[in-house]
């Protein structure tokens, strides 16, 4: 029974007046703090707490949203794309854990892993690591165990052999690559689990800020592969964790 | 224990000669029929039978690959992107079921659904249906129950309300849209399961054959969304089924 | 009072049972005929009858939608992007008026103009006329008087002088151009009413199927200009009529 | 009777010599201050005062244009895209009101709203607010009442319900969004008034500085929607006000 | 003294009534035949007769425009982009000379060359010849002598030496090339006259229908080079002839 | 008789030894100063002195090239794209005239105008002036009289009327515009001389750094128009001067 | 001693008159047959006979060029991109061998392989074979032994192991792939010889006719890789053979 | 006999235990230092030592990789894309030679040239030199003699004549150009050896950061040409050296 069905029955039963019902439908799920409408029901509705995308928001705005969430009883908040300077300022108002490499912060405690298995995060090169860590930390924040295999390249036999067990054992794989993005097709050909491809803006010249990798991944001949936006480590981590909690 | 570990132990145990072991590693997993290397071990390796992408292959080539798979004991074969004329010719050599709308054919029987739940396939418009059916049939072929909700539009409240239950109950959602692809963000905002977005080439002018929808979906502000290639119904179906069988 | 407020009050008053109310919210506004969900409440909700986009729909589908609308009491239906062959077939089932140049058809009678003033439709060249007529006929169908000035070019003084009165007197102007689309800036500089720019796919080489005109129009230095999709005569006409009925 | 007809009659009547008439046609409507030709007749011709686009102009140039307009009797001047540093310098020469968020300044008083109704300005996110405020302030400067609904997202039911009244009551809606721009289609499906879509450069990766949102909006399946340039808040506001003053 | 100055003096002198003057300004220079506004004064105003762009016009429309021009006393008409089938039909109504390779036709006689020197038309390959001939014939029609050097390639020394005299002696050079368009830079480095570059759509793969050649030409390091649209032989010929008649 | 014919005759006549002849062919026309091959014969070969493109060259390199040219007897050198800081440093080694707005410098004296007529340089806006001045100064350096008409807009009648005489009287017109570039079509429709279009990178959003203006100009429906690279004021000025000296 | 040095010495020695020498320089290396300048010296100059690109040439033109080459003593001619219908017609005038799959024909005999080793031609899929055969046949025509490995996919271990010997033993590898082009990086990581990458137009949706593969290959992280145009099998074969004949 | 065959035989012969064999296959070829997997066997496998791409790596990471390579016995390491500041810091830990122009550094001694002939590196302009030097130094590091011809332009006869001997004598040519990239076609037409084309990001406006040159080179009508990524001097040098060592 959906929320709206429940409300209508309550109205019919006289348990709630129509105006109040309407108010409830409208007013409950978020609080409007002027520059943002903070979703307070997301945990209830989608099973995940609200996440704050830090880029383009001022320290004041971020603190305001954290406060609104805390007031609404959300005890754990993830903040992504957060510059170190901002993190330092926020830290003075809210106790956060900040990870400089992934530019992520969170309040509260990390969750115990409770997923089906582990999420494997692999990168083609060293420069893809910051985005990879954003993905990994997101997974961990939402309750997935994570294994990492960075700088795998696509140079074939040796590194592949070394990671075959890791690949075979994963519940979900997040594969990050810039430049030509070929790693995704190689991983996709070996894995028997969903592969989430993350093109990164690593590269130069005709990599066009990640377009080459993006197109490569969208055209991957491997099955079980899907793609998120360039540098979208959070999106990949969120989805991987979701799949890792299928029931 | 991986296959290669097993082989090495057998070699050490004298159970198999080194040359034979090498032969085994090399020769087993596919058969080379000249114009194609047919993967015979994919079912074992990835849990899914080989699929034939019909576009750009001649009737002779498709029949040859079916025969090779049948000889190797694969009893069910899915063929996608198959024109009616080709299907009619293939039918004379192999007993296939052909579905004209999705341009898919398969040999053998449909599998009983054995996934976690059902896959919901939604389209924004009527013209997206052929690609949607390719996705739906792929899901069904690999063992997922499918529910369909076509021509949903993004026009807001009414159609959304009607499909809320369908959306809430799904294990995975495949959302197809051409033009501006906004459906994906709307669905993604309501669903609490993975959403696989399929941009379609439906539209004109600045839809640029699906680019507008593709970009829209890649940039979706909704979490839990990932994207496959334009018109790639098969890829979406394959991945959805995989997620629907997470264990 | 919105529809939903009204319903809630009725529920509270016992005038309607909660289940029925929910049914009402869900079931009323459209009818699902399988391949399409026909919006039957649009006239009520937005003041305009449902329009059928003919491209990519079969004759059967179009006839089915017309029938559904007729059954719901909508006496006038506009069909756009309709090929002559399809029109001829539809004509056997439904009495339609078909205009070959604009590829538009409609059932019922044209409406008497009841707008603020007239909509002026101008084109840069002769080849833009079919899209212009789609715009013009859409305006007329929804109740706007239309004046036409075709093949105006941007060659300056003489043609401009001749049309100054037409331009000054218009309530809304729809300006269509392919190639470099400069007409829009010229018109926009002279007009004191909203100008809706329609890039057309007329041109060759670096016109890239309307991209040159589209970009030109988006960057127009004239104020009061907005743009619709390439070749989207209907969209421009619909919007122009809407503006011409502001109250 | 147009200005030129009037002049010709005066010439014929001997009321003005031909040379003087020519001079009048040429010299009146603007003044050439070297680096700019300031349009002094625009208010008369199009009903709106000249607006100064501040970007790429020096403080001296902006002050020069203000002076020329003031000399010509224009008592209210709007300046857009004005950096705070420039504003501070201009303030020393001319009494201006400066709004840092929208980067707009104006001389003289705000106009009393005298439009048909109100213009609703909605944004998908928090980062779209500066462009939204440019639009809103432009509307207000030219005499339209404005209501704001920021950070609406497209996440569906709840926020939509809350704003249904605002949407239904608006004369014109300006909808701003970056990323995938889906907000426009959602709003467009609910509104029965013109919707002016403003793609913003908010986003990253495959948003390509606003291209994804732009294409999405151009392809919107909703009727009554038109689009202006990326981040063109002024253009949207100018047009919205114009529509809100249709008579 | 411009036309408008003259008219104003006549009005002042009583030689012409104001209404008649206005009529004259407006009505004279073109005739409106519904689907086209035929410019009858172009010869007077710009020194060149009106040209008909045949693509996208029906036989009836083309014949109608020819008739209007003939009635207005224009004895020579050039028609470009004219398909052979249309030419055959037009021939029955008007005596035209048709050249199948360039797809150009003209009425009346070719003009005697009266330019400064000759226009040299060079192509990189054999496939560029049709566009080259459109350029050449346009030059000849308007009175320029033309020399041709086709299939020059850019392969260096030998062919270049052979054509050095031709290149040095030309008044204007039209250089056509598809693929990489390098011919233009080679010619531009040797010539001491204006070079008009015409990218052609000849090529495949990454030539993208002429984009590679277009970009190459726009970036040419040679001085004295300018570019027209892809495949725009007419535009190049028209401009070359204009330069060849500088006085 | 070309240089090479002359040399061969000298060789045959014994006036020069074959080795020396070869040396002459090779060694004469430029001097190799390591980082650059300075063309010393260009004035002889093409009638124009060598020009130094300053961007990406160090002060040392620019001074070195000036010295090489001076040693070879070239008394006047034009340097384009020269930053003020570099100009200040160069000034200490060579007497140059530097113009900050156009970022151009030159040694020696300006040349007396000796062309057919004057070159008219027009811009759409104020921000186009720097590129316009690069074009104008290039014309003047090579001997053309220049007239300027800046910030013309495309807003129609009044400004156009004011400049009709200037336009009609020009030998060549250089038209510069960013944003939508419509000015070129307006000018092209009025002028009866060659129009060289220069797209500028002025604009924002969908102007894409000059692409919108570039495409607009390439597609101009006006005849006699050709286009140079974005912001290429020098190229336009060089070509305009060349045309203005046709003989 | 280059040709020109030799000629100059002959002139000095009186062995040849200057005019004759000039004639020789100019006239020798090609013959002008109107629509084409056939390079007769290419074999001498570059060691390879002239090749005819068949696309866009008429049967008459191709026959004419063959005749000119035969007359000049070239006994073997390769013709690429030749449609079967044209081949059938040419066959009546010249004895050619035609291969329908690669669309190549040649006159004379195949050359005995005389290169360093063999060229390995590998494709990712079955649909890449026609372009691969164009490459292979070009290699063979010019004297290289060729080995083929088609439909290799990038699915990892098994197929790779099977072809390791082939890859290790090759002198040059031509790797063809459409879609995401990842094969090139995999091969490039294993090979220790030059790899020539050929993107093919195989694929759909976001493969954009080969752009995805092209970008992927240009960005390949593997060393020793270079790229030719989309579908340019001939170019790859020509270069591979050249490298295979390094001395 | 490949490594894996050898290992299997050893296992069968009891010379090595299966677990150790597996360990060997996996563990040997690289060492994992956390942020990077350093390939220690590359010299053995491909005949070339590992190269460090410096961009995006910290000084610590680069030093770590150098140390790992040194520990593994690799005595010479090339580092590309290394900023001067980083080089200065690295120099304190490792004795490196740093070349500021090419931004390359290397440890150990330069190798004696032992290739077939020399690699010719040519550039179109002065600004291409840094990328050219990256290519040249890479060649020299791996054992190829290099000749340089910079700032060649494409201005035709004179500079070409001067370099004909250099061009004819080369084993491989690396041709670098920005802007329109025409140099490659000119060189390609004269050379009888492989030409590796390197588009550079030199240029402005419609050069689009090297895209114009890239497309031009991909479409080059000259045979024997292949292309690497924009500004990829290292890739070109590596490949050129490889070809120059063909045996």
């Amino acid at each position: 029974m959906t929320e709206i069905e429940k409300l209508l029955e309550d109205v019919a039963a006289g348990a709630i007046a129509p105006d109040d019902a309407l108010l409830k439908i409208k007013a409950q799920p978020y609080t409007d703090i002027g520059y943002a409408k903070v979703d307070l029901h997301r945990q209830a509705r989608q099973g995940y707490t609200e996440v704050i995308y830090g880029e383009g928001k001022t320290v004041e705005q971020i603190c305001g949203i954290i406060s609104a969430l805390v007031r609404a009883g959300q005890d754990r908040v993830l903040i992504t794309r957060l510059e170190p300077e901002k993190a330092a300022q926020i830290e003075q108002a809210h106790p956060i854990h900040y990870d400089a490499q992934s530019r992520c912060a969170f309040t509260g405690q990390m969750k115990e892993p409770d997923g089906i298995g582990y999420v494997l995060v692999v990168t083609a090169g060293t420069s893809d690591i910051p985005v990879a860590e954003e993905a990994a930390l997101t997974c961990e924040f939402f309750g997935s165990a994570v294994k990492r295999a960075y700088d795998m390249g696509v140079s074939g036999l040796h590194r592949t052999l070394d990671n075959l067990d890791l690949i075979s054992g994963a519940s979900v794989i997040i594969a990050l690559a810039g430049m030509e993005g070929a790693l995704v097709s190689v991983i996709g050909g070996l894995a028997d689990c969903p592969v989430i491809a993350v093109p990164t803006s690593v590269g130069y010249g005709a990599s066009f800020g990640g377009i080459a990798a993006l197109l490569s991944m969208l055209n991957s001949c491997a099955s079980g592969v899907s793609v998120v936006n360039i540098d979208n480590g959070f999106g990949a981590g969120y989805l991987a964790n979701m799949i890792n909690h299928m029931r």
Side-chain angles (χ1 to χ4, degrees), chain A:
Chain A
M1 187 161 60
T2 65
E3 240 176 291
I4 194 167
E5 283 175 311
K6 179 68 175 50
L7 264 175
L8 289 170
E9 289 207 354
D10 286 356
V11 170
I16 183 166
D19 271 12
D20 294 345
L22 187 63
L23 208 70
K24 217 162 172 164
I25 294 177
K26 285 184 175 177
Q28 262 182 347
Y30 62 87
T31 183
D32 192 329
I33 55 173
Y35 45 82
K37 304 203 191 319
V38 184
D39 195 334
L40 306 172
H41 269 210
R42 202 165 167 211
Q43 191 159 9
R45 207 173 65 246
Q46 296 197 325
Y48 298 100
T49 58
E50 177 86 331
V51 175
I52 304 174
Y53 179 77
E55 202 157 293
K57 293 208 178 70
T58 64
V59 167
E60 287 67 34
Q61 289 175 327
I62 295 171
C63 286
I65 299 174
I66 295 176
S67 298
L69 288 168
V70 167
R71 272 197 306 275
Q74 182 172 318
D75 53 345
R76 303 169 61 244
V77 182
L78 178 64
I79 308 150
T80 64
R81 305 272 171 118
L82 187 64
E83 293 307 315
E85 304 74 33
K86 288 189 191 171
Q89 288 180 265
I90 292 169
E91 225 155 15
Q92 314 208 323
H94 297 277
I96 57 168
H97 307 270
Y98 181 66
D99 176 67
Q101 193 172 31
S102 63
R103 294 187 302 154
C104 289
F106 61 96
T107 69
Q109 299 304 309
M110 267 297 172
K111 211 173 150 185
E112 277 305 294
D114 57 1
I116 298 172
Y118 64 86
V119 176
L120 175 64
V121 181
V122 301
T123 76
T126 299
S127 310
D128 304 315
I129 294 180
V131 183
E133 280 299 312
E134 184 185 293
L137 203 138
T138 301
C139 286
E140 291 169 343
F141 180 81
F142 285 118
S144 282
V146 171
K147 300 198 178 180
R148 290 152 169 90
Y150 291 164
D151 193 28
M152 277 197 56
V154 286
S155 58
L157 202 58
H158 298 296
R159 298 190 192 177
T160 302
L161 276 170
D162 197 27
N163 289 291
L164 262 184
D165 286 355
L166 266 181
I167 293 170
S168 308
S171 283
V172 192
I173 298 175
I174 298 175
L176 302 99
M179 299 170 73
E180 94 279 50
L183 176 70
V184 164
S185 292
V186 172
I187 296 290
L190 296 169
D192 60 348
C193 70
V195 175
I196 304 170
V198 187
T200 71
S201 52
V202 169
Y204 64 93
S207 79
F208 299 133
I211 295 182
L214 170 62
L215 292 185
S216 176
M217 291 170 178
L218 284 170
N219 284 284
S220 178
C221 52
S223 299
V225 173
S226 63
V227 187
V228 298
N229 195 2
I230 298 166
D231 291 335
N232 189 5
F234 166 72
Y238 188 96
L239 175 58
N241 175 71
M242 197 183 244
I243 296 174
N244 192 33
H245 283 84
M246 292 294 296
R247 73 250 104 148

